[in-house]
Amino acid sequence: MKLSEVNINELSPMMKQYVEIKEKYKEELLFFRLGDFYELFFEDGEVASRELELTLTGKNAGLKERIPMCGVPFHSVNPYIEKLIQKGYKIAICEQLEDPKDTKGMVKRGVVEVISKGSIVNLESLNEHDNNYIASLLDLEYLYLLTYADISTGELKSLSISHDIDKVINEILHLNIKEVILEDNTNMKLINLLKSEYGIEISFSKEYLTHGYENILNSVSDVRVKQGIRHLLYYLVVKELKDLSHISKAEVVNRNNYLEMDIHTVRNLELIETLRLKERTYSLLWLLDKTKTAMGSRKLKSWLLNPLRDKELINERYNKIEILNNEFILKDELRDLLYEIYDLERLCAKVITGNLNGRDLLQIKNSLGVLPRVKDILKNLKFQYNLNTHEDIYNLLEKSIYENPPISIKEGFLIKEGYNKELDELKSIRSGGKDFILSFEAKIKNTTGLKNIKVGFNRVFGYYIEVSKSDAKKVSEDFGWERKQTLTNCERFISPELKEKESIILNAEEKIFELEYNLFCEIRDVIKKDILNLKETAEVISELDAISSLAVCADLYNLVRPTLNDEFKLEIIEGRHPVIEETLKVPYVPNDVIMDNTTDILLITGPNMSGKSTFMREAAIITIMAQMGSFVPAKKASLPIIDKIFTRIGASDDLVSGESTFMVEMKEARNAIFNATKNSLIIFDELGRGTATYDGISLAEAILEYIAKNIKCKTLFSTHYHELTSLDKEFTNIKNVHVLAKEEGNMITFLHKVEKGPADKSYGIHVARLAKMPEDLLLRAEEILNTYENKAKKNIKHDEKVQLAMDFDTQEEDKLRAKLKEYDPLHMTPMEAINALFVLKELEK
């Protein structure tokens, strides 16, 4: 049964209320609160039943047949919501806005929040190492405006991008944005790329926020940026009913302040996940992340993906690493304290969004409790951080919140004794009432002489006196008891005295729950007023954690402080790939990368598996680590400030878009050639191998020549095309290097050492032998190889003969032409003409 097929006038009053609310939220699954359950009806119920694997039942709604219904418990709704969100659905939470006990007739209900993939704030469902961004994307025709926010941490940023879909896609993937809001659905190419190929949630909204959040809008001056902010805020504030008062300002991102890397570079260098398994383990981030807090982990990832281009800021981070490692006792104490700090950024968001509970407040208190000692350590280290210790909030939470509060904030046991006088009095009544029950039980045993008697409680008729079957006959009317229930082995009674005390006890319990909830809300509101200062504290802690993690890595992995030069020299002495070095079971072979200001291109030759790709990757990774403010894996390093890094490493088809390996190669190469400057770094690994040999050689040589002539940036280019090694004769800024390999009979040993000059041969069959190919297959391959090599030699000899003949013919033709120019047929006698013809015939022979 579909909702559109139903006659609304025939529905029950409650279902009419449901339909009225659902009309406003047609795109969302409506979680409709009924008592202790959220229920979904009609198509929503069918979808939830299928996606959550729950039983689809029916409900009487005033119609002849029952309507489809699916329900989930109120107290455990989060896992169900998270599962639906991950499947791409949006959820509208419809709550009871009145207490049913205080309401005559139907309870008022309304949607209090809409949840989508980019607007989750529940801590349990978020990856603590990653931001959860939602973005507005506006097409201003001459550029794209990307405004993105993480409402779980209170970040809001704006970025202008040139009018190029590929660059927009790159930024969205680079930021790992979960949901993008567009004005309309006209750009189908962009929508299909985002939604179909990359699984990013797409939403549409044409509206802009017209009032409110002036503090955010006033933090920027560009009217275009304000337009993007208004577009995003309307969606979050008006459509999704979010409170964003924990966001104080917007940051305009200037990409010129950071080393630029496209998504291919991030993936090829395995900065945040491995290429093969798409896992964090064995990525560079995995190696460097020794942080103690979730905030610090996110900050370190941001530093890694956005290395700096400001030498002063980079050197500031170097200085802090040196200080921390020199003051290693203070460093260790600082890191122990950081471990005690919870995710303050996301806790601040929970304070604002109303999802806070007692345990969250306890986490805030425990986090603030270590800040005074952290501040003392910063003073001793002479770090210029202004750290607020929030002693007022800490003292408030210390005297108010129990050490082990429940998750629910409406069932009491939140507030400590001594915090509120009225609450203490109510607790005394409750406690006294329970003592009364015990004394009342002892009293009636004495006065009645009944031994098998006890006082109990249930929700049906409250406190009761339970008497065994054998003693029930002894209950006299003089006792004044009223029989309430007969069971198999006992009788239950109530008495006026017991009912009077019950009223006092139960009223006290109910008042305690209500008062504790109100006090909790007051405490939350006090913290709300200081939320922006708390966010600043969280920012300081995240930076401290990230820099201390880099300090630990510098010590742990034997990293050195690099020197930043202005001569655009790239000199790495005994450089190492940090992840490979850490995971290898044998000693790592370090290598030098020497590119002075007269060398732009290193042409790298050598067999497969010899270490060419590792050599290139380590140069790029050392550059990135240096500019993120980290020490680097080398004996010594002097590096320029690189503005952009481009890579093409490995062979892979883009199966989704139907592009071949070679097309992907060419697109990535084009991206580098079009966008690289003389201050860039390019890594090309065996470019041109995806097509026919001569095509590949031609393109590779043309690309090398283009870079050498026009771009002149630092380039590492590995190849198996030995024909290219002669380019160093033509271009002085191209240098040959090769990876050593030791050949012993049919076997080869890779030395992984890079030396000057080109390699003399390839070792493809040797590598195949290492891969345990069948020996008869390898022998046949050697025969075929010898055949091709002999043919090549014959072709070379034949080509030489042909060339000599062509050269001779050309010389003779030149003599013939010269002789012809001596004759003037218009002034020759017949005899002179015959003689001239005879001479020409002789020359032609």
Side-chain angles (χ1 to χ4, degrees), residues 558-574:
N558 191 27
L559 310 182
V560 300
R561 176 171 180 161
T563 301
L564 303 175
N565 66 67
D566 296 319
E567 294 81 37
F568 208 66
K569 295 187 298 183
L570 195 155
E571 296 181 356
I572 301 169
I573 307 301
E574 295 187 15

Side-chain angles (χ1 to χ4, degrees), residues 28-79:
E28 294 81 11
L29 298 177
L30 183 64
F31 275 56
F32 192 75
R33 178 75 180 274
L34 285 172
D36 289 335
F37 283 83
Y38 286 112
E39 296 186 358
L40 299 95
F41 304 108
F42 297 103
E43 292 94 328
D44 285 4
E46 293 172 351
V47 169
S49 170
R50 181 180 68 251
E51 300 291 2
L52 298 175
E53 298 178 2
L54 298 173
T55 302
L56 183 68
T57 61
K59 184 178 182 68
N60 293 322
L63 304 175
K64 293 180 181 178
E65 59 179 298
R66 290 158 65 87
I67 65 170
M69 183 196 81
C70 177
V72 295
F74 161 73
H75 291 292
S76 57
V77 69
N78 284 338

Side-chain angles (χ1 to χ4, degrees), residues 47 134 185 361 403 474 502 529 616:
V47 169
I134 183 171
N185 60 356
L361 288 184
E403 298 303 322
K474 302 175 184 178
E502 175 192 295
K529 292 176 183 177
M616 295 190 296

Side-chain angles (χ1 to χ4, degrees), residues 304-329:
L304 178 58
L305 292 178
N306 300 282
L308 299 169
R309 287 168 60 180
D310 187 314
K311 284 175 64 176
E312 186 176 340
L313 294 177
I314 296 170
N315 277 308
E316 275 184 25
R317 292 182 187 173
Y318 293 163
N319 293 338
K320 288 173 183 173
I321 290 172
E322 281 190 342
I323 291 170
L324 284 168
N325 282 342
N326 289 334
E327 300 286 351
F328 56 89
I329 295 176

Side-chain angles (χ1 to χ4, degrees), residues 276-420:
R276 186 175 180 183
L277 299 177
K278 307 296 182 186
E279 291 179 352
R280 194 173 190 267
T281 304
Y282 301 125
S283 68
L284 182 60
L285 181 61
W286 163 81
L287 185 84
L288 296 178
D289 192 351
K290 311 298 181 194
T291 56
K292 296 291 187 178
T293 70
M295 301 176 290
S297 182
R298 293 193 296 271
K299 179 65 70 176
L300 187 71
K301 181 181 178 182
S302 175
W303 285 2
L304 178 58
L305 292 178
N306 300 282
L308 299 169
R309 287 168 60 180
D310 187 314
K311 284 175 64 176
E312 186 176 340
L313 294 177
I314 296 170
N315 277 308
E316 275 184 25
R317 292 182 187 173
Y318 293 163
N319 293 338
K320 288 173 183 173
I321 290 172
E322 281 190 342
I323 291 170
L324 284 168
N325 282 342
N326 289 334
E327 300 286 351
F328 56 89
I329 295 176
L330 288 176
K331 178 186 73 176
D332 290 344
E333 185 183 355
L334 174 63
R335 286 174 59 76
D336 288 341
L337 293 169
L338 290 172
Y339 186 70
E340 302 296 322
I341 298 176
Y342 292 86
D343 196 341
L344 280 176
E345 282 183 335
R346 285 182 169 163
L347 286 169
C348 286
K350 290 190 78 175
V351 170
I352 297 300
T353 56
N355 294 320
L356 201 72
N357 60 40
R359 296 181 186 180
D360 295 327
L361 288 184
L362 202 62
Q363 289 182 357
I364 292 174
K365 186 197 82 171
N366 292 338
S367 300
L368 301 183
V370 302
L371 293 186
R373 180 54 189 152
V374 172
K375 188 170 185 176
D376 290 341
I377 292 175
L378 294 181
K379 186 177 180 181
N380 291 333
L381 293 171
K382 296 183 173 57
F383 283 4
Q384 301 302 310
Y385 287 110
N386 182 22
L387 183 64
N388 188 336
T389 55
H390 305 279
E391 291 177 11
D392 292 344
I393 293 178
Y394 175 80
N395 291 332
L396 171 64
L397 296 175
E398 172 64 20
K399 68 183 181 183
S400 62
I401 303 298
Y402 273 128
E403 298 303 322
N404 189 25
I407 293 176
S408 172
I409 58 176
K410 292 188 176 182
E411 295 179 4
F413 305 101
L414 285 169
I415 309 298
K416 288 181 177 178
E417 282 81 4
Y419 178 71
N420 180 274

